[in-house]
Amino acid sequence: MRHETRGWIMPEADMLSTLRLIDEKLQLSEIDVRHRDVLIRLREILENDLYDLRLCGPSSEQQDNHNEAA
């Protein structure tokens, strides 16, 4: 599978929080199969982004944007 880079990335704390919420939703028995599949795919995307962020660190552009926001 081809790995694509996106022009945006969530802050690490937001990714971790979102991953916890996704896991909570996936535990619910009444969730529709289509929604479960979408949540699983979203979790995979976020986990890959989190791995890339931790592996490479934020790019200089992302650091610049973070510094401007602070």
Side-chain angles (χ1 to χ4, degrees):
M1 186 161 128
R2 194 176 94 202
H3 181 66
E4 296 180 18
T5 58
R6 284 175 281 291
W8 60 271
I9 191 164
M10 293 173 70
E12 183 176 353
D14 291 345
M15 278 191 248
L16 294 172
S17 175
T18 303
L19 286 169
R20 278 192 297 277
L21 290 171
I22 289 171
D23 286 338
E24 288 175 14
K25 290 288 187 184
L26 290 172
Q27 298 300 319
L28 300 175
S29 59
E30 68 266 3
I31 191 168
D32 185 63
V33 173
R34 291 177 299 149
H35 295 155
R36 180 180 302 276
D37 291 345
V38 169
L39 287 174
I40 290 170
R41 178 64 182 124
L42 179 58
R43 182 177 62 185
E44 180 182 297
I45 291 168
L46 290 174
E47 287 173 343
N48 287 339
D49 283 352
L50 186 59
Y51 175 78
D52 290 345
L53 181 65
R54 289 179 175 173
L55 183 66
C56 301
S59 70
S60 59
E61 179 181 322
Q62 290 169 348
Q63 286 177 341
D64 291 343
N65 290 340
H66 178 70
N67 291 339
E68 289 174 5

